[in-house]
Amino acid sequence: MSCNYRLLVKNAKQVVLICNNGEKYMTKHGMQHLCVIENGSVVIGSDGLIKAVGPAEIIREQYSEASFDKVIDATGMCVLPGATYMDVHRAGGGIHFTVEHTRAAESSELLASLSSRLIRMQRAGTTLVECKSGYGLELQTELKMLEVIEEARRTLPINISSTYCGAHAVPKGKTVAEATKDILQVQLPRLKEQMSAGSLRVDNIDVFCEQGVFDLGSTRSILQAGKEMGLNINFHGDELHPMNSAQLGAELGALAISHLEEVTDEGIAAMATARTAAVLLPTTALPQPRARDMLEAGVIVALGSDFNPNAYCCSMPIVMHLACVNMRMSMPEALAAATINAAYALGRSHTHGSLEVNKHGDLLVLNTTRWEHLIYQLGGHQELIRYVVIKGNVVYDNEKTVDL
């Protein structure tokens, strides 16, 4: 093949595809048997998509006449997909404390803080991230947050999935009914206008379904309205009390529900049947959610961070490590949960989450001969991640890696 390509990553000791048959998610047994090529190479085209992945000798023969903008010799190293980092609430402190500061902040200030955090996440191996609003609780500030997320999407290489979370808390001075009415009659209609005009792209809708916050009825109304606007349902559920959020999400066709520390057996069964992903958050959850029960039931388990001041973690390798230690997940399960299943929870597993032809050329190159070290070494990712690549472009070149 004599074409010009953006990137060749060659001779890697391991190339971790995750899956190789176009799977949109993995459950139970599949998560224990990841697809790994020993001594492999990856070709990424000028459009940023993967053109070939396979044994190094075959890639060398097939592309002997090709030219590449950049070649990475990954001899003795590992290649794997970039992680998907879910649940970034950009500001924090207790919700109402943060609401006051977010309402007062200039957009430029919010963009600067968001950008610095996203760059830190990118250096820790994240290539797709979910960013949420939710610290405005009224129209103008929610729009301001979503506009900041949109600007970050335009200016940074990291892939962003945007989530409207106007129902993150009930504003001071309002009842649940009043807050719900404002979202349904004021916030969502304006959001729809902005989306229709092409000035704002929002992918998901979130509600904090909890006692003293939004009850099942209010949650249903808001999520259904968002779904009718074309938003994916991806919401907080069964966190502090068993609210039957899992059953509601399954009924509404939710893509994902996060937290689930208090989910019931019936809720687990409903999510497994509906193929609604469980986004578990090891950095924030006490007690820990029942990951093993969910996996055994066939639930699509994903991992997230719940990034906020109470869980200020920019590192998906640390999230995966904690999932193994505290939730008794295996390392292959944790990696699948942080890649293909996390991408599924954002409706992106057809383009992200595994190293397969025609998916985005987003990957990590690790300075180690076995991929498990990324999870095994708690906090060791800063010395392990040699390159972070997004759409075939090297966005992080780390010369401070340490040979194992």
Side-chain angles (χ1 to χ4, degrees), residues 17-23 26 35-37 53 354-356:
L17 281 67
I18 304 295
C19 49
N20 66 345
N21 289 311
E23 296 92 337
M26 299 177 78
C35 182
V36 179
I37 295 175
V53 56
S354 62
L355 298 182
E356 297 181 84

Side-chain angles (χ1 to χ4, degrees), residues 85-297:
Y85 195 109
M86 304 189 64
D87 286 340
V88 177
H89 289 290
R90 296 176 297 100
I95 291 177
H96 290 291
F97 173 86
T98 308
V99 166
E100 294 173 10
H101 285 260
T102 307
R103 287 176 177 176
E106 296 292 334
S107 294
S108 58
E109 181 186 349
L110 295 176
L111 180 61
S113 64
L114 173 61
S115 297
S116 66
R117 291 163 185 172
L118 291 178
I119 289 168
R120 286 181 66 187
M121 293 170 188
Q122 188 175 279
R123 289 176 176 174
T126 291
T127 58
L128 170 62
V129 63
E130 178 194 19
C131 296
K132 298 187 179 190
S133 67
Y135 289 111
L137 309 185
E138 45 81 31
L139 176 63
Q140 294 307 322
T141 310
E142 288 294 314
L143 286 179
K144 177 171 67 175
M145 294 186 77
L146 292 169
E147 287 163 359
V148 166
I149 294 169
E150 186 66 26
E151 182 62 19
R153 195 205 303 264
R154 285 194 291 264
T155 56
L156 297 174
I158 196 167
N159 300 281
I160 294 176
S161 181
S162 176
T163 299
Y164 164 74
C165 188
H168 191 201
V170 177
K172 290 180 178 179
K174 277 196 165 95
T175 65
V176 174
E178 290 168 340
T180 302
K181 182 178 179 182
D182 181 67
I183 290 167
L184 294 175
Q185 297 185 9
V186 178
Q187 295 188 40
L188 284 177
R190 177 65 71 85
L191 185 58
K192 185 177 181 180
E193 287 177 13
Q194 298 266 34
M195 291 169 62
S196 297
S199 58
L200 205 57
R201 188 174 122 199
V202 182
D203 305 291
N204 318 290
I205 186 165
D206 186 6
V207 175
F208 188 8
C209 181
E210 185 54 72
Q211 285 185 20
V213 192
F214 289 89
D215 58 25
L216 274 181
S218 298
T219 299
R220 178 192 295 276
S221 299
I222 295 167
L223 293 178
Q224 187 62 47
K227 184 177 181 179
E228 290 169 4
M229 290 171 50
L231 300 177
N232 295 320
I233 296 175
N234 186 335
F235 72 110
H236 294 56
D238 294 328
E239 178 182 356
L240 304 176
H241 300 90
M243 299 284 294
N244 292 329
S245 302
Q247 293 93 314
L248 173 64
E251 177 190 335
L252 294 177
L255 256 185
I257 305 171
S258 58
H259 283 285
L260 296 164
E261 288 85 358
E262 298 293 337
V263 70
T264 63
D265 291 342
E266 293 78 12
I268 290 174
M271 291 181 69
T273 300
R275 293 297 182 228
T276 295
V279 182
L280 308 185
L281 310 169
T283 59
T284 192
L286 287 173
Q288 296 286 306
R290 297 157 53 196
R292 291 254 52 95
D293 290 343
M294 296 181 202
L295 288 164
E296 290 304 315

Side-chain angles (χ1 to χ4, degrees), residues 22 35 50 56 111 173 211 282-283 294 300 327 340 348 367 372:
C35 182
I50 296 172
L111 180 61
Q211 285 185 20
T283 59
M294 296 181 202
I300 301 164
M327 296 184 185
I340 190 69
R348 299 283 188 94
N367 192 24
E372 291 92 341

